[in-house]
Each structure stands twice: as C-alpha cells, then as structure tokens.
Amino acid sequence: MTTAGDSTESGLIKREANRRRTFAIISHPDAGKTTLTEKFLLYGGALGKEAGAVKARGGRRSATSDWMALEQQRGISITSTVLQFPYRDRVINLLDTPGHRDFSEDTYRVLAAADAAVMVLDAAKGIEPQTLKLFEVCREREIPFLTFINKWDRPGKAPLELLDEIERTLVVEPTPMTWPVGIPGDFRGVIHRSTGVYTRFERTARGSTIAPEEEVAADDAEARDGEWWTHASEEVELLDEIGRNVDLKTFLAGESTPVFFGSALTNFGVRFLLDGVVDLVPSPAPRVLADGNRRALDAPFSGLVFKVQAGMDKAHRDRIAFVRVCSGRFERGVTAIAERTERQFSTKYAQTMFGQDRDTADEAFPGDVLGLVNANDLRVGDAVYVDQAASFPELPAFAPEHFMRARVKDTSKFKQFRKGLIQLDEEGTVQVLRDQDLGDQAPVLAAVGPMQFEVATHRFTDEFGAEVELTATPFTIARRTDEASAPKLNAMQGVTVMARDDGTLLALFESRYWMDRVLKDYPELTLERMVAEGGLN
Ligand code: G4P
C-alpha cells in the first residue's frame, strides 16, 4: 500500500490501519498467557520499566482484568480486556480471551474481533485440551496463528517432539521462526532462522526488566555453549533441509504456524515473538459484510460489537459495549447509529482500556477496540456506523449443553429478576429460553459450560438484587427448529421447544439417543445443528 505521502483522510485511515496489529492470545489455563501479556506490555514500554501490573502477584498492586469478586475468589480470569500499546512503529491491540474452559462462546466472539492469535503452549505439556478447543475456534474463524512454546527455562519436551505434536494433533505445519539453544531447563538463547543470528539471553530477577541480549557469532557460540550449540545448529540444518520455513501464504490460510521458543517468566524470546506479531500478523483488511461485499477501510466509520459487559468495576456501575473498528476514523462525540434498532446514540463517553484504567478515546482506526459506555441498545454481533449503513454476518450461536431452570427466591423481586434475565441474555452470559406458557416465571438458562451458571447466579444476587434458585432439568442437547416443526416436536415425549428472546426456537432433548431417533424417523422436521455442538466443551 503506498499511502505514505497521501495527506487525504483516506490516506490517513489506510496508513493508520496499516500500523495496527490486532490479535488475541489463546492457551490452556496456566500455560502463561497472563505472564506473556505482562511481558508484551513491558516490551511495549506500557509498564514503564517493570513488569507486574497485569496480575497482582506476591502482594503487587493489581491493574488487572480480574474485575469480578467471583473471579478473584476463584483466581481465574473469566473476562476479557483489551490492551493497546505501541511497539516499534506499530500499534498493538491485544484482546485478552477468557482463560476458563467454560467460556469458549465468549472466546469465539473475541476472536471475531481479532486478525490473528498467538497460541501459548507449556513446553512440558504440549497441546492441552483447552488449547485444542481454542484452536478449533481459530480454525472455524479461519484466523492465522503464531505459536509460542513457553517455559523453556524448565524441564520439558524436546523441540522436535513438540513440532511433531503440533503437526499431528492440529494438522497444521509448524514452521519454527526461532530455534532454542540449550535443553529445556538450561535455556541459553535462540537461533533466528531467517538471519542465522544466535541471540544469547541473560536472566534478570523474575524477569521484571527486559532480558539483556547478546548476539553471538557462530565460532564464539561453539566455544561458549559447546554441544548445545552444535546440537541446535544441526537441528536447524535439518529443518532447512526438510523445508520447514515460515511461509506467509500458508500462515495466512491457517495451514502453517510460525513457532517461537521462549520463557515469558524470564523474558527470553519475548521480543522475537512481538517482532513476529508485527512482521507476520496481517493488518486490518476490509471487513466482509452480511451481503458478501467488503467495506473499504476508508469508508465511513463502522464497527462490530463483539462483547457487552456490565459491572466492570464497582466504582462505575455501567455497561460497556466493546466495538472493533472495521472502517473509517472514529471520532469521539460523533453520533453513530446502531444497525439493529436504527437508533442514534452518542459516543461522548467512548473509552479505550488499559487493564482497569480507562482512557478517553478521542479517535480510533480500523483494528482498534472502543468501549462504548452505556450504549444500552447494543448487542453482540451488532454493527454500529455513521453515514453509510453496515451489517456484518451473524456470529454463530453455540449449542448449549447445560440447562437449568431459574426461579426468583423472593417473588417481590420479580421485576429485578426480569431485568437480570434480559441483561444477562443480551450480554450472552447465559442464553435465556422461555416456555410459551411459563414465560419469565421459570425460564431455562442454557449454557455452553456450567461455570456460566455460577456467574449468572452471582450477578443476579450481587448486581440485580434478586436471588435465584436453579434446578436441574432433564435436557442435555439442543437443536434449532422453526414454527412449522414446533407443534409436532412439543407433542413428543422427551422434547420441549423453547424460544429465545430474538425469536429463535430451540428443541431441547432429554437424550442424544432420542434426538437421533427423531432425526431419523421424522426427516421432515427442522433440527439444525449449531456451531461446535459437542466440540467445544
Ligand atoms: P495463564 O494466564 O495462562 O493461566 O498463566 P499464568 O501467566 O498465570 O502462569 C501460570 C504459572 O506459570 C505462573 O506460576 C507463572 O509464573 C508460571 N509461568 C509463566 N510463564 C513461565 C515461564 O516462562 N517459566 C516458568 N518457569 N514459569 C512460568 P504460579 O506459580 O501460578 O504463579 P506465581 O507464583 O509465579 O505468580
């Protein structure tokens, strides 16, 4: 793109979009996502000179995304945050995906706003169950991903074994960008494969400052690191021979993954990974619209709502819609239109996020993420725009596999209960399904993972002041159906048709066996699969 000397508005937007790298980190809990995020910020200069602000450890102050009491009790990260920081001459937007296995639906939405992902593996554990599930989400969304093999400072698997595991399990070709010198547990440095340069790292105390690096010439390397160096260079030769080189085309198609070795804790290899993000992750491209056309980057402002979150912190009891900018220049204060309701809303309080600290966003470009405060009309999947209408393809709904009936404990709190139902449904915390006869008296809450119920129960009490009682239901699986099929399904035993607020009808079955029978015996009935049924949790 040659927009360097272009002083027009269009030139500015394209230039700024070109500088953006918008990606998410995916990993199995404990592989090191939080540590790596922290170190990215350190290398991006966003933390001053010391790491330690993302997650409070050992009494350090928290500027964390751990915002809910529940989250703190459990010590896990279940919400997503957006972090923006500069690196080299680029602007990095890091979308934090929820770490808990139950939140794959949420993760999917975050990945809908990302242009790429970084998959973090623990060197001792390789591909873990959650990594695999998250990877499937990436594949479904066709987004390219880099792989960071973390914790190389500790004993772990051999590098070739890890490559083999990636290839076999994910059916993706691993193409190492760096290669480790030293065994896991005695990590000396990495060889950068495209330049052949050997970079030796030095530890700093708990990795709180940038790791000193030294470029070592081949002759020197042998003298200093002896057999580790010889062994690593032989392996690099082998990789060259079998053509395991980073290839942009297959990377962008999700068929190969550039691999980096490192240790987030000691900062080894973190800079190479960030360089990889800048050099390989694609900048925002014109977004596909619902009608199949693409919206040019320099078209008027448009954005995709990928997450709606309430109660971010106790001091600001508000609701934030997270919007990924897809086209144009966003300017704070502009009156935007919410596509679904066609209502106008003010963007006076648009924000960008840094951990819990909020900054006012005066302008934003494609790839950036805005937090729109109190934009109560917005739901996940909605488009927002100015001047020229935009509508994005529907985000797929996940097949819930857990179903609980909800009742308010104190009937005088029914109004609060209803308010909670509407809001939690809109945010996608749980799906709310209603019986035609019972309506809001005893709706069924449906979830992809059971942990969503805990979050919902907690929020009913804490935020809406309506304690709820959840009781088990016999349902185990759901399929999407329609008005024509509903009466027949409802008349059968072991099946109940319930409705979502948006009118979608779901047939809930008590067993998969029974569902399969119905599918076979009544092929004329509509029973559509939803995304990732049985695949993601
Ligand atoms: P997560 O967000 O993916 O769940 O992982 P997180 O970064 O919280 O890391 C999980 C644990 O792994 C932490 O230890 C962290 O210090 C450790 N860790 C992360 N990266 C590395 C690495 O490169 N090398 C080694 N050796 N350890 C690493 P913890 O004991 O749970 O916490 P803490 O007591 O260290 O704070």
Side-chain angles (χ1 to χ4, degrees):
M1 206 183 299
T2 51
T3 55
D6 187 346
S7 61
T8 61
E9 175 75 2
S10 159
L12 171 75
I13 293 167
K14 287 181 180 161
R15 215 161 39 240
E16 288 296 331
N18 214 13
R19 290 175 62 209
R20 265 51 182 185
R21 296 291 181 273
T22 303
F23 72 104
I25 301 180
I26 57 173
S27 72
H28 189 87
D30 265 359
K33 188 177 59 146
T34 313
T35 312
L36 186 61
T37 302
E38 200 172 280
K39 299 313 171 68
F40 276 170
L41 295 177
L42 176 72
Y43 277 75
L47 287 183
K49 289 200 169 65
E50 284 221 12
V54 171
K55 188 168 170 183
R57 292 214 182 93
R60 269 178 266 169
R61 201 185 80 83
S62 158
T64 156
S65 61
D66 299 354
W67 52 273
M68 269 174 74
L70 174 71
E71 195 175 35
Q72 270 148 20
Q73 281 159 22
R74 292 189 152 253
I76 53 169
S77 174
I78 52 172
T79 63
S80 42
T81 319
V82 181
L83 299 168
Q84 186 181 68
F85 59 93
Y87 182 71
R88 287 175 21 194
D89 54 347
R90 308 292 150 146
V91 178
I92 311 281
N93 291 307
L94 171 54
L95 312 183
D96 184 17
T97 53
H100 195 274
R101 63 185 291 267
D102 280 353
F103 281 74
S104 37
E105 188 161 18
D106 224 6
T107 305
Y108 195 99
R109 295 166 178 161
V110 171
L111 289 174
D115 293 322
V118 168
M119 176 172 82
V120 180
L121 302 183
D122 180 325
K125 298 191 173 141
I127 308 234
E128 297 180 82
Q130 176 78 343
T131 339
L132 190 57
K133 286 166 194 158
L134 291 166
F135 163 75
E136 280 163 10
V137 176
C138 283
R139 176 165 278 173
E140 174 87 29
R141 280 218 36 83
E142 297 181 345
I143 67 171
F145 70 102
L146 309 175
T147 300
F148 183 65
I149 299 186
N150 190 29
K151 306 198 186 182
W152 210 256
D153 58 299
R154 285 207 312 210
K157 301 184 184 186
L160 287 171
E161 188 187 338
L162 284 159
L163 294 194
D164 192 46
E165 192 172 326
I166 295 171
E167 181 155 18
R168 263 186 304 108
T169 321
L170 309 182
V171 198
V172 164
E173 188 180 347
T175 53
M177 189 90 181
T178 62
W179 196 252
V181 177
I183 49 164
D186 187 3
F187 188 22
R188 307 286 171 90
V190 295
I191 300 173
H192 204 280
R193 286 194 55 224
S194 66
T195 57
V197 171
Y198 171 36
T199 305
R200 221 168 173 276
F201 303 119
E202 246 174 71
R203 269 176 178 269
T204 63
R206 265 197 81 85
S208 61
T209 53
I210 287 173
E213 293 174 3
E214 184 191 356
E215 286 187 2
V216 183
D219 300 344
D220 247 9
E222 191 154 6
R224 304 232 337 237
D225 291 320
E227 62 172 307
W228 297 136
W229 161 257
T230 328
H231 188 72
S233 25
E234 278 167 14
E235 282 177 333
V236 166
E237 266 172 41
L238 175 77
L239 293 170
D240 290 342
E241 266 166 39
I242 59 172
R244 280 306 166 85
N245 303 321
V246 174
D247 175 61
L248 207 53
K249 194 162 158 249
T250 51
F251 160 65
L252 293 176
E255 292 161 9
S256 71
T257 177
V259 179
F260 299 78
F261 290 83
S263 154
L265 192 69
T266 58
N267 301 338
F268 289 12
V270 170
R271 186 173 64 81
F272 286 126
L273 177 62
L274 255 184
D275 286 338
V277 166
V278 164
D279 296 335
L280 298 169
V281 167
S283 57
R287 191 94 181 172
V288 176
L289 297 164
D291 63 9
N293 291 320
R294 285 176 186 269
R295 186 159 172 120
L297 289 172
D298 58 351
F301 165 71
S302 69
L304 167 71
V305 179
F306 66 95
K307 183 165 182 67
V308 174
Q309 199 166 66
M312 290 280 292
D313 69 56
K314 299 246 172 195
H316 313 248
R317 273 245 173 265
D318 50 19
R319 192 157 177 256
I320 296 192
F322 289 97
V323 176
R324 142 114 193 194
V325 179
C326 298
S327 67
R329 167 155 59 151
F330 168 84
E331 285 172 291
R332 189 164 67 88
V334 72
T335 300
I337 296 169
E339 159 230 354
R340 193 172 36 79
T341 56
E342 293 186 357
R343 281 205 217 145
Q344 296 192 337
F345 64 93
S346 158
T347 59
K348 204 165 140 198
Y349 300 108
Q351 295 176 337
T352 52
M353 309 293 295
F354 172 77
Q356 266 181 343
D357 299 334
R358 298 169 179 198
D359 266 339
T360 309
D362 285 325
E363 60 175 13
F365 292 95
D368 290 344
V369 171
L370 297 166
L372 296 179
V373 182
N374 285 336
N376 292 331
D377 253 1
L378 298 178
R379 293 198 198 161
V380 169
D382 282 357
V384 295
Y385 60 84
V386 297
D387 295 345
Q388 186 186 324
S391 171
F392 298 110
E394 210 182 316
L395 291 179
F398 278 64
E401 297 188 359
H402 301 270
F403 305 87
M404 299 285 270
R405 208 171 273 281
R407 285 187 185 81
V408 64
K409 279 191 181 160
D410 173 354
T411 46
S412 72
K413 296 284 194 307
F414 191 68
K415 241 174 87 181
Q416 289 86 330
F417 174 60
R418 274 191 84 167
K419 193 169 166 223
L421 282 176
I422 293 169
Q423 192 154 322
L424 296 180
D425 193 21
E426 279 180 14
E427 286 173 31
T429 308
V430 282
Q431 296 181 28
V432 177
L433 309 178
R434 293 174 178 86
D435 229 301
Q436 247 151 6
D437 303 333
L438 293 172
D440 279 346
Q441 295 299 331
V444 165
L445 306 185
V448 176
M451 172 104 186
Q452 286 173 256
F453 296 130
E454 272 188 59
V455 176
T457 311
H458 178 85
R459 290 190 51 192
F460 269 118
T461 309
D462 207 52
E463 201 176 318
F464 301 99
E467 259 188 78
V468 293
E469 180 181 47
L470 298 185
T471 48
T473 69
F475 310 121
T476 58
I477 189 161
R479 285 280 170 108
R480 203 185 335 234
T481 186
D482 58 18
E483 294 284 355
S485 307
K488 201 157 187 177
L489 287 164
N490 260 332
M492 292 178 192
Q493 280 210 338
V495 194
T496 302
V497 176
M498 298 189 92
R500 278 196 207 140
D501 193 39
D502 64 2
T504 308
L505 295 181
L506 294 188
L508 312 188
F509 289 84
E510 293 183 12
S511 80
R512 181 180 281 270
Y513 166 78
W514 183 235
M515 183 183 79
D516 289 341
R517 276 281 303 271
V518 173
L519 278 169
K520 192 159 153 266
D521 294 350
Y522 303 92
E524 72 281 12
L525 294 179
T526 304
L527 288 168
E528 285 170 19
R529 278 176 72 96
M530 284 169 276
V531 168
E533 184 181 286
L536 281 165
N537 78 62

